[in-house]
Amino acid sequence: MQDQKIQNREKKPKRTGHDPQPEKIELSSLQVKDPDQGRSKPTGSIQQKDQTQKRDQTQQRMAEQPGALDMHYLVMQSSRQVGRVHMSRTAKINLDPGQPKILQCLYEKRGNTPKEIAAWCVLDKSSTTTLLKLMEQKGLIEKKPSLTDRRSCTIELTPFGLEQALQVLKIGQEVDRIILEGFSEEEKAILSDFLARMSANAKKEMEK
């Protein structure tokens, strides 16, 4: 029995210094699974968020600093926007740009000669001539010889032109209601005064 145990011990391989060591695993070679791997990352939404944030900051800065943009640009921008609203409505009664203010000028008797109409509507001579010719063809106005100046004429509304002028006044009131929404009566009066003064200053500059 003892001889058998000795034989079994002899059969076990002896370890030598050249025995293969367990393979080392480098941590850098391990693949760590990203939980977001495979998902589409909305890079566009990040950019859109940045743009929205910048826009909000700009609007806040403009609200806190009224002079953030040049005043003349704001006036021109406002004029264009209001003009678009007004023209979208006057076009529905078959009036071309420039014609509504001439109808209003004649109705309110701001002038009845081409020169006076041009001055009140802030138009040059050639534009006034073209507009008056087209309005005459539409049956909105009629020309009569001037009693004081043979080289000039007077402009009067026809019955149809009077109807259209009344429509223009209604549209003007509607546009005023839209653009002045949220304004107090005091603010409306102040704004009207400011605009009139700015217009007078610009006119004075052009007359130098």
Side-chain angles (χ1 to χ4, degrees):
M1 189 68 164
Q2 188 174 1
D3 293 339
Q4 186 177 359
K5 289 181 179 181
I6 293 173
Q7 290 176 359
N8 290 338
R9 278 201 303 268
E10 290 177 351
K11 289 180 182 180
K12 291 182 181 180
K14 295 182 180 181
R15 294 181 59 87
T16 65
H18 299 287
D19 288 345
Q21 297 295 322
E23 184 181 357
K24 293 184 179 180
I25 301 176
E26 296 292 338
L27 293 177
S28 59
S29 65
L30 292 176
Q31 296 292 332
V32 180
K33 187 175 181 181
D34 185 356
D36 293 330
Q37 189 174 1
R39 298 181 185 176
S40 58
K41 297 184 179 180
T43 55
S45 63
I46 297 176
Q47 185 177 5
Q48 184 178 2
K49 183 179 179 181
D50 292 341
Q51 292 176 348
T52 302
Q53 188 175 12
K54 289 180 180 179
R55 184 175 66 248
D56 292 342
Q57 291 173 351
T58 301
Q59 291 176 348
Q60 183 178 0
R61 185 167 60 254
M62 288 175 61
E64 294 173 353
Q65 301 176 1
L69 291 176
D70 293 335
M71 183 61 69
H72 74 276
Y73 174 79
L74 289 174
V75 173
M76 289 192 297
Q77 184 187 53
S78 299
S79 177
R80 292 286 296 173
Q81 296 286 15
V82 174
R84 290 175 64 187
V85 175
H86 192 269
M87 284 190 293
S88 69
R89 284 157 173 75
T90 54
K92 294 178 181 179
I93 58 174
N94 196 31
L95 291 178
D96 298 324
Q99 294 178 352
K101 55 186 175 183
I102 292 179
L103 291 176
Q104 184 174 351
C105 174
L106 294 170
Y107 179 82
E108 296 180 353
K109 301 187 183 303
R110 304 284 183 171
N112 65 348
T113 68
K115 185 177 180 179
E116 292 171 343
I117 292 171
W120 191 79
C121 296
V122 195
L123 294 169
D124 57 48
K125 183 179 179 180
S126 61
S127 297
T128 304
T129 300
T130 302
L131 285 169
L132 291 176
K133 183 179 180 179
L134 292 173
M135 293 175 72
E136 187 177 19
Q137 293 173 355
K138 282 186 175 183
L140 295 168
I141 61 171
E142 60 181 346
K143 295 180 181 179
K144 294 183 178 180
S146 174
L147 299 176
T148 58
D149 187 354
R150 293 181 180 179
R151 296 172 300 178
S152 185
C153 64
T154 58
I155 311 297
E156 294 183 5
L157 290 172
T158 63
F160 175 58
L162 178 60
E163 292 178 6
Q164 293 292 81
L166 292 173
Q167 290 293 320
V168 168
L169 294 179
K170 278 185 175 182
I171 290 172
Q173 293 172 354
E174 180 185 357
V175 173
D176 286 348
R177 179 185 58 78
I178 292 171
I179 65 175
L180 295 173
E181 183 180 358
F183 283 64
S184 67
E185 293 303 319
E186 182 181 4
E187 288 173 330
K188 292 176 185 178
I190 293 173
L191 177 61
S192 179
D193 178 60
F194 285 173
L195 291 174
R197 287 162 57 186
M198 285 190 288
S199 179
N201 289 339
K203 181 180 179 182
K204 188 188 301 183
E205 175 65 23
M206 294 303 297
E207 291 175 348
K208 287 183 179 180

